[in-house]
Amino acid sequence: MAQPITCVEDLRVLAKRRVPRMFYEYADGGAWSESTYRANEADFRHVYLRQRVAVDMSNRTLATTMVGQPVTMPVALAPVGLTGMQHADGEILAARAAAAAGVAFTLSTMSICSIEDVAENSNAPFWFQLYVMKDREFIDRLIDRAKSAGCAALMLTLDLQIMGQRHKDVKNGLTAPPRLTLANIANIAVRPRWWAGMLGTKRRAFGNIVGHVKGVTDMRALSAWTAEQFDPTLNWDDVKRIRDRWGGKLILKGILDPIDAELAAQTGADAIVVSNHGGRQLDGAMSSIAALPAVARAVGSRIEVLMDGGIRSGQDVIKALAFGAKGVLIGRAYVYGLGAMGEAGVTRALEIIRKELDVTMALCGLRDVRQVNADTLAKPHPQFAA
Ligand SMILES: Cc1cc2nc3c(=O)[nH]c(=O)nc-3n(C[C@H](O)[C@H](O)[C@H](O)COP(=O)(O)O)c2cc1C
């Protein structure tokens, strides 16, 4: 009998077996040397929790709010491009799993299932992540589409005006859907669950783009369009313009520096996400958990601070909260679940993190996740002190 799945790492191992290499490595990869990607996970290990004993640990709660929205735990699903290539209809399945778990799902601009499709096929309002493209009319239409679909928040990503190179994607010739080269066919052929799912769905290209941009009707036109569309001129005036057009809850994602956090707070946005894009952009940047304390100190009293990068367990979530985050986003942790087992895998990833978070909180002597603060951390051994 197969071993039970007990942690996010088990889901990663299963996803690696079930998802074609090109898409598995798109998720399990970072920019250039991948040093920031690795640091995101590794730096959590230098943070120590404070164990407390003989404290009443009954009647615990993980419920809180994120961006004003009630959630059953301070964890949301991060925007992940091409989620529908990890598993057929991936965005819809992840949105459903998140809704059932009582947490927020964020749909990427670069999703396979479109905004309207996810809204029709899931049962809770989700957040929409926006990339700013040179085609501003397209961006305006995207904002309006997210509004019409009832999205509860707009998450504007600021750290991808230009793409960091990910060697694996270049080597694998990443496209969606995959080009049918001999190597790809051989790799996909031995992953029958994946291709059977893909044959059974029509959702195989960038749903938010194809049919919504003049001249982009097929894959060739689409790759040419996206390659030159990310806008290197993006600046704080654009952020304000987008804020005004959207008019709802606004989250600014990709802040790592306290000065940028200050500028972000001045826009009147509702929240920021301390993030280095999962180590996929500036290789050599600080890990998110290392960057978080200074940002939270600088702006935490004026704007909600969220963080992402390297969260693979409930212990990681508590450490981020202790450093001043109101909540976290998870990317790969749920993507591995999706690739491993579809909707059930996303549900499993969320259950694993919820259970770990709950027990960890109890062992720290706390009963309410909103009580987690700097006192939840042990003083580091001098060897690890900054
Ligand atoms: C495969 C993949 C695709 C991503 N696509 C997007 C995207 O389309 N938009 C975005 O803002 N962030 C994107 N991100 C970054 C995530 O939103 C998030 O910042 C990151 O995954 C957090 O790190 P973690 O994966 O270690 O949890 C992507 C991340 C991954 C792994």
Side-chain angles (χ1 to χ4, degrees), residues 23 26-29 37 40-41 77-83 86 107-111 129-131 155-160 166 253 273-280 288 308-312 329-335:
F23 299 115
Y26 169 62
D28 184 12
Y37 171 37
N40 272 351
E41 282 183 50
L77 304 195
V80 168
L82 273 74
T83 299
Q86 301 292 335
L107 184 72
S108 164
T109 293
M110 303 308 289
S111 59
Q129 175 265 327
L130 185 71
Y131 276 132
M155 185 181 288
L156 174 58
T157 298
L158 296 172
D159 62 2
L160 202 139
R166 302 149 200 169
K253 174 170 184 277
V273 186
V274 175
S275 173
N276 50 35
H277 216 100
R280 301 163 73 78
S288 300
D308 73 21
I311 303 261
R312 302 289 180 272
L329 315 184
I330 54 170
R332 295 174 182 90
Y334 93 81
V335 166

Side-chain angles (χ1 to χ4, degrees), residues 135-361:
D135 183 342
R136 295 302 167 95
E137 272 177 43
F138 169 67
I139 293 309
D140 286 349
R141 281 202 305 278
L142 263 185
I143 296 171
D144 297 347
R145 286 168 62 194
K147 235 192 268 185
S148 311
C151 291
L154 186 75
M155 185 181 288
L156 174 58
T157 298
L158 296 172
D159 62 2
L160 202 139
Q161 285 161 265
I162 185 168
M163 284 261 280
Q165 177 166 307
R166 302 149 200 169
H167 294 320
K168 288 168 184 158
D169 294 350
V170 177
K171 292 195 167 95
N172 290 328
L174 179 75
T175 57
R179 239 177 261 118
L180 292 181
T181 60
L182 271 182
N184 286 343
I185 292 170
N187 195 260
I188 291 168
V190 294
R191 289 165 170 88
R193 277 168 183 262
W194 184 89
W195 59 253
M198 285 298 163
L199 286 179
T201 184
K202 288 200 193 86
R203 304 173 179 108
R204 291 191 220 123
F206 293 105
N208 290 327
I209 299 172
V210 174
H212 295 277
V213 175
K214 254 189 250 136
V216 176
T217 47
D218 65 9
M219 272 316 296
R220 279 236 313 268
L222 175 64
S223 41
W225 184 80
T226 39
E228 58 101 19
Q229 268 298 326
F230 288 102
D231 190 347
T233 71
L234 172 65
N235 59 54
W236 292 106
D237 288 335
D238 295 320
V239 173
K240 288 175 195 143
R241 201 185 62 81
I242 289 166
R243 174 199 65 194
D244 293 342
R245 183 164 189 111
W246 166 249
K249 299 267 184 200
L250 180 67
I251 307 168
L252 300 179
K253 174 170 184 277
I255 307 284
L256 220 51
D257 191 283
I259 293 179
D260 287 337
E262 183 59 53
L263 295 169
Q266 285 169 17
T267 65
D270 298 277
I272 56 171
V273 186
V274 175
S275 173
N276 50 35
H277 216 100
R280 301 163 73 78
Q281 286 292 97
L282 178 60
D283 184 39
M286 253 174 149
S287 68
S288 300
I289 193 65
L292 173 63
V295 171
R297 268 197 305 276
V299 297
S301 60
R302 282 174 287 147
I303 188 168
E304 187 164 317
V305 176
L306 309 175
M307 76 80 76
D308 73 21
I311 303 261
R312 302 289 180 272
S313 69
Q315 301 88 292
D316 295 341
V317 177
I318 263 206
K319 291 172 184 177
L321 300 182
F323 276 138
K326 182 86 193 294
V328 303
L329 315 184
I330 54 170
R332 295 174 182 90
Y334 93 81
V335 166
Y336 294 147
L338 181 71
M341 308 191 308
E343 182 175 340
V346 180
T347 299
R348 192 77 195 96
L350 288 167
E351 280 170 1
I352 288 169
I353 289 177
R354 186 191 303 280
K355 177 89 190 296
E356 290 169 342
L357 176 57
D358 179 47
V359 173
T360 304
M361 182 177 79

Side-chain angles (χ1 to χ4, degrees), residues 11-88:
L11 292 170
R12 186 192 66 76
V13 171
L14 194 53
K16 189 172 183 180
R17 285 218 307 268
R18 294 191 170 165
V19 177
R21 186 173 60 221
M22 165 186 300
F23 299 115
Y24 171 77
E25 290 191 343
Y26 169 62
D28 184 12
W32 287 304
S33 75
E34 302 192 333
S35 68
T36 297
Y37 171 37
R38 278 192 298 275
N40 272 351
E41 282 183 50
D43 282 359
F44 276 104
R45 292 182 207 127
H46 302 303
V47 182
Y48 291 90
L49 295 168
R50 188 164 161 210
Q51 171 178 295
R52 299 295 313 277
V53 297
V55 179
D56 182 355
M57 293 173 185
S58 59
N59 297 323
R60 294 184 302 280
T61 176
L62 298 178
T64 181
T65 58
M66 282 173 79
V67 202
Q69 183 177 323
V71 288
T72 59
M73 65 173 163
V75 175
L77 304 195
V80 168
L82 273 74
T83 299
M85 283 290 133
Q86 301 292 335
H87 189 285

